[in-house]
Amino acid sequence: MTGLAAARKTSVIPQNSSVDNYLVIYQTMAPESQCAEFVQAIERMAGALEAWHKIVYLNNDDMLYLQELAAREGWAAACGSLAAKIGVDRIDELYLSKSRMLGNQLLLQTYRAARKICYGDGIGLNFSRRYFGGGSAELPVKESFSKEELLQLAVSMRQVRPEMGGDCFDQYCLLLPNLFDETMSTAVLQPDKAVFRELFAQLAPATGDASIARVLSRLETAESMVFILTCNFSEFGKMSLVDEVAAYREFVAMKCAPGSTLVIKPHPRDSYQKLSALTDELLKDGWEVLLLGAQDSLYLPFEAIISRCLEFQQWLSKIKILTFSTSCLSLEAIFGMPCTRGFGADIVQQRFFSASVESRLRHERDLSEAVARIAKNLET
């Protein structure tokens, strides 16, 4: 939500308070049993950041219906059905995170006349479709897929995707462009970091006050506090749940001083099953553990929590942050908070599925290089 809100605040076209804003939520990629509460959290955060005329949620069944309709009757039929679900035939501006997902392709086709703005992944990053292996981010979400289902779904999506032709966006609004394997040919508008700091500060009281108060209360008395920002590796088929839990345990044992308080800040697409298993195992290892697993904190961006911690400068030396994804980039770029990045080669080679090892090792190298570039830019 913050990437979208920052893009709207940064747009070269002034925002008109008299227009009707529609928010369309789809392909959340959360575990199936958690989709409803994830959507509710998105709606709460959206309401904290901006006023909406209407919020529309397209669930997995809706997306599969539109995919099948496109394959059976053509793309125009699917676009007509989508416009009817949203309740509007024409729009002035269309803000999307990227173009490769099925839902985004549908919206691009449905509202061709709109000015199209891409706000990227996360806080404003761009990758090529191939970077994380391609295809998997476009699949409708279930608890798990067989290899046969994955193949069939990927093939069917390739068959129904339209030919957009070239760059389909009129404007890119990215905080951290071109850090990975893709260089944008279109000029990029960069939001001010202060815009993101303001947005994260807005989210904290709206969605996570109780959890943040709990963290701050323990931070005041703790010897040290280590935030573990988990990622949805097992949920996304990169490693088994058992190996993911073991990987975090091994990494914590290497990086955390005895007596530290561990705070698990889940990825919003983490499963409750994994979070419960990880908490139990860390407790067995003798650590004090706080799990931010309630609905008001599981889906809250970690940046909203750290923005409150930064109000207490006297405690900041106690904080250590372990990251395993691009979350490290926003913390470094927006807040100047150093992070530990990735598991390292030994754990990756031992714990990730063999098919994912090479891409994971490359991603961890890329994250380190990206942080170095961010640090260099901050110096200048």
Side-chain angles (χ1 to χ4, degrees):
M1 278 307 307
T2 50
L4 167 60
R8 286 181 52 74
K9 285 178 176 288
T10 310
S11 175
V12 295
I13 296 180
Q15 297 305 310
N16 186 343
S17 59
S18 66
V19 302
D20 293 331
N21 295 321
Y22 290 74
L23 177 64
V24 184
I25 303 170
Y26 51 93
Q27 290 178 276
T28 62
M29 306 306 295
E32 191 170 1
S33 60
Q34 296 169 215
C35 278
E37 65 185 48
F38 190 14
V39 171
Q40 291 170 4
I42 294 171
E43 291 175 345
R44 287 196 302 271
M45 289 187 283
L49 298 178
E50 193 164 350
W52 300 95
H53 175 72
K54 184 179 181 182
I55 298 178
V56 179
Y57 173 45
L58 303 175
N59 62 30
N60 292 335
D61 289 339
D62 293 326
M63 296 306 298
L64 284 171
Y65 169 77
L66 291 170
Q67 175 187 320
E68 292 166 357
L69 184 61
R72 187 176 63 251
E73 299 183 23
W75 202 254
C79 292
S81 178
L82 177 59
K85 287 178 181 292
I86 297 172
V88 62
D89 294 325
R90 186 189 65 83
I91 61 174
D92 300 309
E93 291 185 319
L94 176 63
Y95 289 82
L96 296 173
S97 60
K98 49 198 169 188
S99 63
R100 61 180 176 264
M101 292 174 65
L102 174 65
N104 290 359
Q105 289 282 333
L106 274 165
L107 287 165
L108 286 164
Q109 286 286 326
T110 302
Y111 302 112
R112 280 178 170 268
R115 180 172 177 267
K116 303 170 186 68
I117 300 99
C118 176
Y119 57 87
D121 290 88
I123 59 164
L125 304 170
N126 58 292
F127 310 91
S128 77
R129 186 178 167 211
R130 299 175 298 277
Y131 186 75
F132 287 110
S136 60
E138 300 176 347
L139 299 178
V141 176
K142 292 170 50 177
E143 293 289 351
S144 62
F145 287 96
S146 69
K147 289 184 178 179
E148 291 74 20
E149 287 176 315
L150 286 169
L151 179 61
Q152 290 170 5
L153 284 167
V155 168
S156 66
M157 285 185 171
R158 283 198 295 272
Q159 290 172 343
V160 303
R161 185 180 297 111
E163 292 297 328
M164 292 300 298
D167 196 337
C168 53
F169 289 105
D170 301 302
Q171 178 70 66
Y172 286 86
C173 193
L174 307 173
L175 178 64
L176 299 172
N178 305 332
L179 288 178
F180 295 94
D181 70 331
E182 182 180 63
T183 301
M184 310 311 302
S185 57
T186 305
V188 175
L189 191 65
Q190 289 184 265
D192 193 292
K193 295 169 188 175
V195 172
F196 278 96
R197 286 193 287 267
E198 176 187 328
L199 292 169
F200 287 125
Q202 283 180 249
L203 285 179
T207 56
D209 245 3
S211 297
I212 293 174
R214 182 181 171 209
V215 169
L216 292 175
S217 175
R218 188 65 191 95
L219 178 59
E220 182 177 9
T221 57
E223 291 183 24
S224 65
M225 179 169 282
V226 180
F227 289 97
I228 306 170
L229 276 58
T230 57
C231 197
N232 56 334
F233 296 119
S234 55
E235 292 84 355
F236 217 55
K238 302 298 182 182
M239 61 204 304
S240 70
L241 186 151
V242 171
D243 276 323
E244 185 173 358
V245 170
Y248 292 128
R249 290 177 65 197
E250 292 163 7
F251 195 74
V252 164
M254 290 191 298
K255 297 294 182 180
C256 299
S260 296
T261 299
L262 307 183
V263 181
I264 301 173
K265 174 57 187 79
H267 188 285
R269 296 174 178 86
D270 280 345
S271 70
Y272 284 129
Q273 180 186 8
K274 181 181 77 181
L275 296 174
S276 177
L278 176 59
T279 302
D280 289 346
E281 292 303 314
L282 289 173
L283 288 171
K284 289 177 185 177
D285 292 339
W287 298 101
E288 178 189 1
V289 181
L290 298 180
L291 170 63
L292 300 181
Q295 288 187 33
D296 69 337
S297 53
L298 192 156
Y299 304 108
L300 182 69
F302 178 68
E303 294 89 344
I305 297 174
I306 206 66
S307 68
R308 287 292 306 278
C309 293
L310 288 171
E311 297 174 14
F312 302 90
Q313 293 289 323
Q314 69 273 26
W315 301 336
L316 293 186
S317 61
K318 300 180 180 183
I319 292 176
K320 184 172 187 175
I321 306 172
L322 309 184
T323 66
F324 304 92
S325 68
T326 54
S327 57
C328 64
L329 302 180
S330 62
L331 294 170
E332 298 266 5
I334 298 174
F335 299 104
M337 293 291 293
C339 308
T340 299
R341 301 173 298 277
F343 291 106
D346 289 345
I347 291 178
V348 169
Q349 290 169 348
Q350 182 179 2
R351 297 298 181 182
F352 277 72
F353 292 141
S354 57
S356 299
V357 168
E358 184 178 350
S359 62
R360 178 62 198 176
L361 291 174
R362 182 198 64 213
H363 185 50
E364 293 197 358
R365 290 193 298 269
D366 288 350
L367 288 175
S368 294
E369 292 173 6
V371 167
R373 290 174 62 181
I374 291 169
K376 185 176 180 180
N377 290 336
L378 290 176
E379 290 174 1
T380 57

